[in-house]
Amino acid sequence: MLARRSRLLLALAAVAVTAGAAVVAGCDGMGADESDGRTHSARAFPAADRPVAAIISTRWSDEEARDRLNESDQIMTMADVRPGMTVADIGAGEGYYTVRLARRVGPEGRVLAEDIVPEIIDALGRRINRENWQNVSVKLGTPDDAKLPAASFDRIFLVHMYHEIAEPYAFLWRLYPALKPDGEVVVVDADRLTGNHGTPPPLLKCEFEAVGFRQSHFRDSPFAGGYMARFRISGKRPAPEAINPCHVQVFAK
C-alpha cells in the first residue's frame, strides 16, 4: 500500500505546478483552415458545433453563499466522494471545491487542482500553502488538455466550467485515460445554452458519449445552480478522426 501510494504521489508531483436545445449526432465533414482560430493540438478532432462562453470570473459564486446552501457537501455526497480517494478539480479557480475535496478525501487521499490561467494557479498555490493543505497539488493545463496522469483518478470534477471548453472532443478524449477503471467525471453546470454560461444536458451527454463515456447518474441540483451529471468510461475510446460530433439546433420554447 505504501509503495503504491508513493508511486501515485510521484506521478502527481511530476505533472503539478503549482430557449431550449435539441441535440443530434452525425458527421458533417467539418474542416478547419489556418484562419479559424483553432489550436494545432485540436485539429485532429471535430470542432464543436456550439458557442463557447468566455471565462469571466475565477468563481461561480462566493464561498460563503455557496456554503450557506451546503453546495459542496451535497455535490460530494451525490458524487460518492470518500476518504482516501484521488480527485481532480479541473478549472479550480480560487479553490472552492479544491479545499473542500481535500477535507473530504482526508490525509490518505489526494487532490490535484488544475486551471489554464497561470496567475490563477499561482494564487491557488499560495492559498494551498497558506492554509497548509498537504494533500493538494496544483497544475497548469491547456484549453484542450488538463494534462492529468493516466489511470490515477477516482473522480474528476468539472464545476461550472464545461461551457468554457472550446474543444470539448479533444479535451474529453485526453481526459479519458486519467480515470481509474471505476472512476467518474462529475459535471456541475446550469441548464441553459453554452453561450449563456451553461450546457443543455442533452448536449453534455452527446459530447461525452462521442468520445467513449456513458452517463451513469443525472440529478437536478438547484442548490448548485443547475444539475449534476456523472460519466463513466464505456467501451473503447475512438480515434480522433472517428469521433461523431454533436449538432445543436436551437428553438424557441
Side-chain angles (χ1 to χ4, degrees):
M1 174 67 77
L2 288 176
R4 182 175 64 83
R5 178 170 167 77
S6 296
R7 288 195 297 271
L8 176 57
L9 291 177
L10 287 172
L12 292 177
V15 299
V17 260
T18 225
V23 183
V24 295
C27 293
D28 66 353
M30 194 178 300
D33 59 40
E34 295 300 321
S35 64
D36 66 359
R38 301 186 70 197
T39 61
H40 178 76
S41 58
R43 289 184 176 278
F45 299 86
D49 181 28
R50 58 168 172 83
V52 178
I55 301 174
I56 59 174
S57 176
T58 59
R59 63 172 69 177
W60 172 70
S61 179
D62 68 83
E63 298 195 11
E64 294 76 13
R66 297 170 86 169
D67 279 346
R68 283 196 294 272
L69 296 173
N70 199 28
E71 176 191 333
S72 63
D73 278 346
Q74 292 190 73
I75 289 294
M76 289 187 294
T77 297
M78 288 163 55
D80 194 24
V81 177
R82 303 184 301 276
M85 280 186 165
T86 301
V87 181
D89 182 15
I90 307 302
E94 296 178 357
Y96 173 76
Y97 268 89
T98 298
V99 299
R100 288 158 180 81
L101 286 166
R103 184 181 300 118
R104 176 68 68 99
V105 302
E108 296 302 312
R110 296 291 299 173
V111 176
L112 180 61
E114 183 269 3
D115 210 288
I116 64 172
V117 181
E119 294 80 7
I120 291 175
I121 282 295
D122 289 345
L124 181 54
R126 290 192 295 272
R127 176 180 185 177
I128 296 307
N129 289 331
R130 182 174 64 251
E131 298 180 10
N132 197 30
W133 292 103
Q134 297 186 10
N135 60 346
V136 177
S137 301
V138 298
K139 164 107 184 89
L140 182 66
T142 64
D144 57 40
D145 188 356
K147 298 185 180 295
L148 302 184
S152 297
F153 296 94
D154 300 290
R155 298 288 184 272
I156 298 175
F157 276 74
L158 311 175
V159 180
H160 286 292
M161 56 76 68
Y162 186 81
H163 49 268
E164 297 170 353
I165 299 173
E167 298 286 353
Y169 304 111
F171 179 87
L172 293 175
W173 193 87
R174 292 173 175 136
L175 202 67
Y176 181 111
L179 284 174
K180 295 179 181 179
D182 59 348
E184 294 185 330
V185 180
V186 179
V187 179
V188 177
D189 212 342
D191 183 2
R192 51 179 178 252
L193 299 179
T194 54
N196 195 28
H197 294 275
T199 308
L203 173 62
L204 182 77
K205 184 173 183 285
C206 183
E207 291 185 346
F208 267 81
E209 289 180 348
V211 297
F213 292 91
R214 66 174 175 83
Q215 185 172 288
S216 57
H217 297 82
F218 181 90
R219 185 168 174 178
D220 287 329
S221 306
F223 58 88
Y227 61 82
M228 187 203 74
R230 293 162 61 181
F231 295 88
R232 301 176 67 91
I233 290 171
S234 177
K236 186 177 180 181
R237 182 177 61 162
E241 64 274 12
I243 292 172
N244 211 16
C246 304
H247 305 288
V248 186
Q249 299 168 345
V250 179
F251 57 91
K253 287 185 176 181

